[in-house]
Amino acid sequence: MQRYPTLSYMKSKFYSLKLLLIISVVFILQIIIPKFTELFILNQLAITNFQFWRYLTSIFLHGSLTHLLFNLIALFFFGIVLEKEIGSRNFLIVFFFSGILANLISVNFYPSSLGASGAIYGIIGALTIIKPLMMVWTFGLIMPMFIASILWVTADVLRTLGAFGQTNIGSIAHLSGIAIGILCGILLRKK
């Protein structure tokens, strides 16, 4: 009896696409339900009133359609690849671990925070370690994943230092997320 190799995408539970759908539905709820965002955004209430769910729920909120679309595009392209490479369970661990820890760090620097950027940057960090030579299109060029990650980190460091003026971008969450993702990638690569 001849056995055919199972394609790795067949083992995927497509959590990256399911997260995409959940994030989109939550954004619609933000638009149609007044004060919805205020119930789940990450702010000082997470610390002062012990509302710890905000570290998780804020990952699914977004401040604008542009913010949402950037995160959805990144989750779609990088999430699918990472989930295929490390499996669905490990993908979810990287996503939530990076997102929650990035939120734990960023709440100390910003009055409020929302978005999946810390989790997305965690995916990017893990993928940078696992597939550093994977070619990606960014900044109008095709380049290896590790070069793109260096450029994204550089941009966020410059943004944090105020090189681009005042922005509403949570660069500390990005930097925290990618650092955590890199650590996850190192651990997963050893396996």
Side-chain angles (χ1 to χ4, degrees):
M1 181 168 126
Q2 185 177 2
R3 298 192 70 180
Y4 294 96
T6 306
L7 297 173
S8 57
Y9 72 86
M10 299 287 278
K11 295 178 186 176
S12 175
K13 292 183 171 44
F14 298 102
Y15 285 131
S16 51
L17 298 179
K18 292 172 185 172
L19 286 168
L20 230 144
L21 181 63
I22 292 167
I23 290 168
S24 299
V25 168
V26 168
F27 187 71
I28 292 168
L29 293 174
Q30 284 181 259
I31 293 170
I32 62 174
I33 300 174
K35 307 260 184 197
F36 181 86
T37 303
E38 287 75 18
L39 294 172
F40 301 106
I41 193 169
L42 179 61
N43 55 26
Q44 293 304 313
L45 291 174
I47 299 168
T48 58
N49 290 3
F50 305 105
Q51 296 179 359
F52 299 123
W53 68 83
R54 292 175 183 269
Y55 290 106
L56 173 65
T57 58
S58 62
I59 293 171
F60 297 96
L61 302 172
H62 287 82
S64 69
L65 184 59
T66 305
H67 184 206
L68 174 74
L69 290 177
F70 275 123
N71 280 343
L72 291 182
I73 290 167
L75 179 58
F76 179 78
F77 287 110
F78 297 123
I80 288 173
V81 173
L82 184 65
E83 186 173 357
K84 180 182 149 259
E85 290 295 319
I86 65 174
S88 296
R89 180 179 165 271
N90 287 333
F91 168 79
L92 285 178
I93 290 169
V94 171
F95 181 86
F96 286 112
F97 192 63
S98 299
I100 291 169
L101 285 180
N103 280 341
L104 280 167
I105 294 166
S106 69
V107 76
N108 296 295
F109 296 92
Y110 306 117
S112 65
S113 178
L114 75 168
S117 299
I120 305 277
Y121 269 76
I123 290 168
I124 289 170
L127 203 51
T128 299
I129 298 300
I130 292 167
K131 290 188 67 97
L133 299 178
M134 178 179 85
M135 300 305 282
V136 297
W137 183 76
T138 189
F139 299 106
L141 300 169
I142 295 175
M143 62 186 72
M145 185 71 187
F146 80 96
I147 299 289
S149 293
I150 290 169
L151 293 175
W152 287 320
V153 166
T154 302
D156 276 311
V157 167
L158 291 173
R159 217 179 276 121
T160 301
L161 297 174
F164 303 118
Q166 184 70 20
T167 68
N168 284 334
I169 297 172
S171 294
I172 292 172
H174 295 178
L175 294 169
S176 304
I178 202 164
I180 295 159
I182 286 170
L183 293 173
C184 290
I186 290 168
L187 292 173
L188 289 166
R189 191 169 179 151
K190 285 183 179 177
K191 287 184 179 182

